[in-house]
Amino acid sequence: MIVIDDGSSDQTASVAKDAGAVVLRHPAPGGYGRSLKDGIRHATNDIVAITDADGTYPVERLPELVQLIDSGFDMAVGARRGKYYRGSFLKMPARILLQWLVEFTTGRRIPDINSGLRVFRKSDAEQYFGDLCNGFSFTTTITLIYMLTGKFVQYTPIDYAARIGKSKVRIIRDSLRTLQYVVEVIARFNPLKLFILLSFLLGFFAVASLVSTFVMRDPSLPLLLFTIFLASSFLMFGLGIFTVHRR
């Protein structure tokens, strides 16, 4: 048993050590992803399973996920369902935006981008540690990287239970950090999709500026914005093609 004591201020390290666990202690909190990376590095077996310890995930389903790995999949993930998975109303906009961005980038439907119940091989995951988030976005970024590098990811529906204790996730801060890491991964592994998205957004603003010329008395400013946005849209698309060509 390996225990990562992520800078705790209680007796986690001593209790775990007395129980016979191998304890790796961080002098200060390094984050969820950093703790997972250190635990995976010190694991002696190739197949790695991760889950949360808050009672939300059905750990008895892990053997099914391991069987999927044995059958040839590179990663097996439990896709959460049920009333406890929906969570608060405030989480929905961030979840929808993130879901859309990731599915647009990968070109496939993803039932659950950041499920904490998953199985994969240590030998596969370690090569991407430099690109994986040290915080709560670890699961999101590893899913995205696996799909963008052509690995086989299989989802299995699981029931998500009520949480024991309180979540440490802060919606606004951690959503922005997740978005940051997702954009970084897209720029690293599939930059053309990122440039195409930016090009379409600028094109949308160009059309909106053009439409506004018909309702404004002085159309000079909207026409100027239309020219700028349209030129920027073509520039972004050209940069995307250039970036892919140079890779």
Side-chain angles (χ1 to χ4, degrees):
M1 179 75 70
I2 299 173
V3 173
I4 311 297
D5 179 15
D6 192 35
S8 66
S9 57
D10 55 18
Q11 301 301 313
T12 295
S14 59
V15 171
K17 191 172 183 178
D18 291 342
V22 175
V23 178
L24 305 176
R25 183 171 176 81
H26 293 165
Y32 169 79
R34 173 65 184 274
S35 299
L36 282 175
K37 291 178 188 179
D38 288 343
I40 293 170
R41 284 192 185 100
H42 288 82
T44 55
N45 296 304
D46 192 38
I47 293 183
V48 174
I50 65 172
T51 185
D52 293 351
D54 56 7
T56 53
Y57 289 100
V59 293
E60 65 274 8
R61 300 286 301 277
L62 280 173
E64 297 177 38
L65 301 183
V66 173
Q67 288 178 359
L68 290 173
I69 299 298
D70 290 336
S71 68
F73 287 100
D74 298 297
M75 183 160 62
V77 187
R80 295 168 290 180
R81 63 185 181 182
K83 63 178 182 179
Y84 295 108
Y85 171 55
R86 291 192 293 269
S88 66
F89 180 77
L90 295 175
K91 293 182 179 180
M92 291 181 61
R95 182 174 292 168
I96 292 173
L97 173 62
L98 182 64
Q99 189 90 1
W100 178 86
L101 179 60
V102 172
E103 290 183 349
F104 168 78
T105 304
T106 59
R108 61 164 288 182
R109 182 179 176 275
I110 301 177
D112 191 348
I113 183 64
N114 62 337
S115 170
L117 182 69
R118 58 186 63 216
V119 177
F120 48 87
R121 293 188 182 277
K122 172 183 176 179
S123 53
D124 289 335
E126 278 190 310
Q127 60 184 309
Y128 303 118
F129 274 9
D131 298 298
L132 293 175
C133 173
N134 284 334
F136 287 112
S137 303
F138 175 92
T139 49
T140 302
T141 50
I142 195 173
T143 302
L144 187 54
I145 289 174
Y146 266 49
M147 290 185 175
L148 292 179
T149 54
K151 287 184 167 49
F152 295 101
V153 180
Q154 178 66 16
Y155 280 88
T156 297
I158 60 170
D159 292 324
Y160 191 70
R163 180 188 304 276
I164 299 174
K166 296 182 180 180
S167 173
K168 295 182 180 179
V169 176
R170 298 181 182 179
I171 297 177
I172 297 178
R173 183 198 66 181
D174 290 315
S175 295
L176 290 175
R177 286 183 178 177
T178 299
L179 183 61
Q180 170 195 338
Y181 280 104
V182 166
V183 171
E184 288 181 4
V185 169
I186 297 173
R188 169 75 170 82
F189 292 94
N190 193 355
L192 183 58
K193 281 290 184 75
L194 183 61
F195 282 107
I196 288 177
L197 178 60
L198 292 174
S199 178
F200 273 111
L201 287 175
L202 291 168
F204 171 80
F205 288 131
V207 172
S209 300
L210 182 62
V211 172
S212 66
T213 61
F214 297 101
V215 297
M216 296 186 66
R217 294 182 179 180
D218 184 7
S220 57
L221 179 59
L223 284 175
L224 176 62
L225 293 176
F226 166 74
T227 304
I228 294 175
F229 284 132
L230 186 62
S232 300
S233 176
F234 282 111
L235 177 62
M236 281 296 167
F237 187 79
L239 285 174
I241 299 297
F242 176 76
T243 301
V244 173
H245 179 71
R246 290 292 299 273
R247 285 168 62 90

